[in-house]
Amino acid sequence: MRYSTEHKQQTREKLLASSGALAKRGGFATTGVAGLMNAIGLTGGAFYNHFASKDDLFTEVVRRELSNSPLARLAERGADRQRLARCLEQYLSLAHLRDAEGGCPLPPLGVEIARAELPVREQAEQWLVALHSAWSTTLEDPELAWALISQCVGALVVGRMLASAEVQGQVLEASRSLVGRALNETR
């Protein structure tokens, strides 16, 4: 039985959404093709109607997750320092720290992206360079832009490694304070 182009596109979208959530929750490398397809109610063999390889799927997942992240939306709309500061305040919150599936994909996927094939890393680099460019314009300081991106992502990674909400809060508060000082000192 042949499926319509629309059905195939809907299945592809379900696979991308499900794979992104699975990757951010438990890791992409640890889930096989059968598991990815099973999550959307299909057999592993149907996977190859949508992607040539699991690496191709991961490249698309990374592109999609990064382009839908809160940081990407801020860069697309442009921002002044106040708006950037408000966004980073939300980014460095316990709510965001606890929402690995719905939050920024860099903290949960960063290590997997680093180990991935070149096309995946190129996709991540392209996005990060565009984010850096937008923040450099807002901050008028390219070094500060890289430092803030790294600080924010790193704070979430460290926070998620910790067991207690109290220490997680300390990490996030210290990062918010540092980011706030950096934004105010460079004016």
Side-chain angles (χ1 to χ4, degrees):
M1 174 182 186
R2 296 192 58 92
Y3 290 105
S4 69
T5 303
E6 182 179 329
H7 181 270
K8 188 174 177 180
Q9 185 59 33
Q10 288 172 348
T11 302
R12 180 183 169 92
E13 287 301 314
K14 278 194 234 177
L15 178 57
L16 283 167
S18 176
S19 297
L22 285 170
K24 287 164 59 177
R25 183 181 330 120
F28 189 80
T30 60
T31 306
V33 167
L36 294 168
M37 294 304 286
N38 187 46
I40 62 168
L42 296 173
T43 64
F47 175 85
Y48 297 99
N49 292 328
H50 304 282
F51 294 95
S53 69
K54 191 176 169 194
D55 285 339
D56 287 347
L57 170 61
F58 191 46
T59 301
E60 185 59 22
V61 164
V62 167
R63 185 205 60 74
R64 180 184 177 122
E65 291 293 327
L66 290 174
S67 65
N68 292 326
S69 79
L71 297 179
R73 289 189 297 273
L74 181 67
E76 288 170 1
R77 288 185 239 143
D80 58 26
R81 279 178 180 264
Q82 287 181 325
R83 190 151 170 240
L84 180 60
R86 283 192 309 271
C87 177
L88 296 182
E89 183 88 13
Q90 292 172 346
Y91 189 91
L92 294 168
S93 69
L94 278 172
H96 186 221
L97 181 125
R98 292 179 179 141
D99 187 19
E101 234 177 270
C104 178
L106 290 176
L109 296 181
V111 171
E112 288 196 68
I113 292 169
R115 292 180 182 144
E117 296 296 321
L118 186 60
V120 174
R121 294 193 326 270
E122 287 172 338
Q123 188 69 240
E125 180 178 323
Q126 179 182 354
W127 182 84
L128 280 165
V129 167
L131 178 66
H132 172 261
S133 177
W135 286 21
S136 292
T137 299
T138 299
L139 299 170
E140 299 175 343
D141 186 340
E143 287 181 357
L144 180 59
W146 279 128
L148 289 180
I149 291 167
S150 301
Q151 175 63 41
C152 291
V153 172
L156 283 184
V157 170
V158 170
R160 287 178 181 158
M161 290 169 43
L162 302 171
S164 75
E166 179 184 349
V167 181
Q168 289 173 330
Q170 291 170 5
V171 168
L172 295 174
E173 178 56 38
S175 294
R176 283 192 304 270
S177 177
L178 181 71
V179 166
R181 283 194 314 270
L183 289 172
N184 289 324
E185 288 175 3
T186 58
R187 285 187 175 188

